[in-house]
Amino acid sequence: MCKTIASALIAAACAAGHLPAKAPTGKPKPWQRHIIDGSSRGADGVRLADVNGDGLMDIATGWEEAGIIRVYINPGPKKAKAPWPAVTVGKVKSPEDAVFADLDGDGAMDVVSCCEGRTKTVYVHWAPTEPKRTLEPGAWKTEALPVTAGKQAWMFALPMQIDGRGGVDLVVSSKGSNATIGSLISPKDPRDVKAWTFRPICKAGWIMSLIAADMDHDGDPDVLATDRRGTNRSALWLENPGPASAGSGTWPRHVIADPARPDRAGQYMFLNVGDIDGDHLGDVVAAVKSRTLQCFTRLDKTGLKWRRRDVPMPAWSGTAKGIAVGDVDGDGLADLVFTCEGAKPPLVGAGWIRQVRTGGKTTWRAFDIAGAKGTKFDRIELLDLDKDGDLDVLTCEERGLNAVFWYENPTK
């Protein structure tokens, strides 16, 4: 972007009352960064689960360039600022995602990884049953799910009970030619990897997000997603038809849109859910390239009626990638946290946008989190890692910092 265009964007945003007049240089300063692991290349996403039952969230991450899947055990708030205990649970090429799921029901959290590139395979990394062996690499066993091998460029997996029988199933998604969102149904013996079956749910272009959420309030989980490429790019949700047909048929597809503003221009990156307006209904937020955060507020419980508002990202940030909703400053209002790609210095790779309500009017103001370090960031998780009463930001970066890390919220 040339300096003239950038200056014009900043001036327009300031005139609208959305953003500070320039990139933040004084207070508030970027948040302090704590490295969980910086030992490899291409950290590509953070997924959470309580692996050992201690009430603390642990992390699974795929390292794309290094071709490894790693698990990090949360050491607790007193040690959270130092590198975390970690284990490489498997080695696979071109991993895009890694997520926890106890697939065989033995009480130990396994890890599922999705691989693109030439690999195009979904793998299971079976966890040791003895908790004391969790950090032993040799105690984990990696197996491919043959029904997925070489079929699609797999991007994301969502553990979910789909057919009402047996163990945990998986909703999986892909990108490129023959891309789909589909279901991987667990067999009677989940360890029999050849017995897993795949059924397409819908065609896709490039799926970035999969989230389980009861979008129509009928008591079963639906699938919330973003499709980044193709003629149907959008934020959308797939309606669960119920266990009798969920594992074998097509799920009804609903585009999340405001009828008064139906355009779906741009690339939909990650999305998330949260209560933006305080009405206790689940709203949807999506990061849209280049620098727009779309907030879809729910108008009723059907999941079919939405009102969209666009919150511009600052011109001093990279382009939109990850997004999360949470009360960052403790004022009782939901704020937006974002991460970026294309954040070459002096652009910043992560920030937050404060919601301000005055006289019935809502405005937004952006603040820096990451500073000008890091280029390509990923998913966001908001959680209080140091147990000081505010939300910290957990993410990773795969080009400059090459690490999994968290930013310490300075509010408390």
Side-chain angles (χ1 to χ4, degrees), residues 30 52 56 75 113 120 129 136 162 210 214 219-220 245 259 286 309 315 318:
N52 52 11
L56 302 173
S113 63
K120 296 182 178 180
T129 56
E136 296 180 22
I162 295 174
L210 292 176
D214 185 1
D220 59 21
S245 56
R309 71 179 78 176

Side-chain angles (χ1 to χ4, degrees), residues 204-355:
W206 180 343
I207 299 300
M208 291 291 294
S209 293
L210 292 176
I211 295 175
D214 185 1
M215 298 298 293
D216 50 6
H217 288 255
D218 66 351
D220 59 21
D222 306 300
V223 174
L224 183 62
T226 44
D227 197 341
R228 177 177 177 178
R229 290 278 174 87
T231 57
N232 293 319
R233 65 182 184 268
S234 61
L236 61 106
W237 64 278
L238 302 172
E239 184 179 346
N240 190 332
S245 56
S248 59
T250 299
W251 298 26
R253 181 180 184 272
H254 305 286
V255 173
I256 297 173
D258 183 338
R261 307 180 65 189
D263 68 289
R264 299 193 296 276
Q267 296 183 36
Y268 281 75
M269 308 299 280
F270 290 111
L271 59 64
N272 223 314
V273 293
D275 185 5
I276 296 288
D277 52 6
D279 64 356
H280 305 293
L281 294 175
D283 305 313
V284 174
V285 293
V288 184
K289 267 192 164 183
S290 285
R291 291 186 176 88
T292 301
L293 306 180
Q294 288 188 357
C295 300
F296 293 94
T297 53
R298 181 190 287 266
L299 300 183
D300 62 19
K301 293 183 178 182
T302 67
L304 302 177
K305 297 180 181 180
W306 304 87
R307 178 181 295 116
R308 189 186 106 199
R309 71 179 78 176
D310 292 353
V311 179
M313 290 169 57
W316 40 260
S317 74
T319 58
K321 183 67 177 291
I323 187 168
V325 181
D327 183 3
V328 172
D329 55 1
D331 66 352
L333 299 178
D335 308 303
L336 302 176
V337 180
F338 64 85
T339 58
C340 308
E341 56 186 16
K344 295 181 179 180
L347 299 179
V348 306
W352 69 285
I353 304 182
R354 183 179 185 230
Q355 182 177 182

Side-chain angles (χ1 to χ4, degrees), residues 116-140:
E116 56 159 344
R118 296 181 179 180
T119 305
K120 296 182 178 180
T121 301
V122 177
Y123 291 88
V124 180
H125 311 276
W126 301 106
T129 56
E130 307 95 328
K132 64 182 181 181
R133 301 193 66 194
T134 298
L135 294 176
E136 296 180 22
W140 292 75

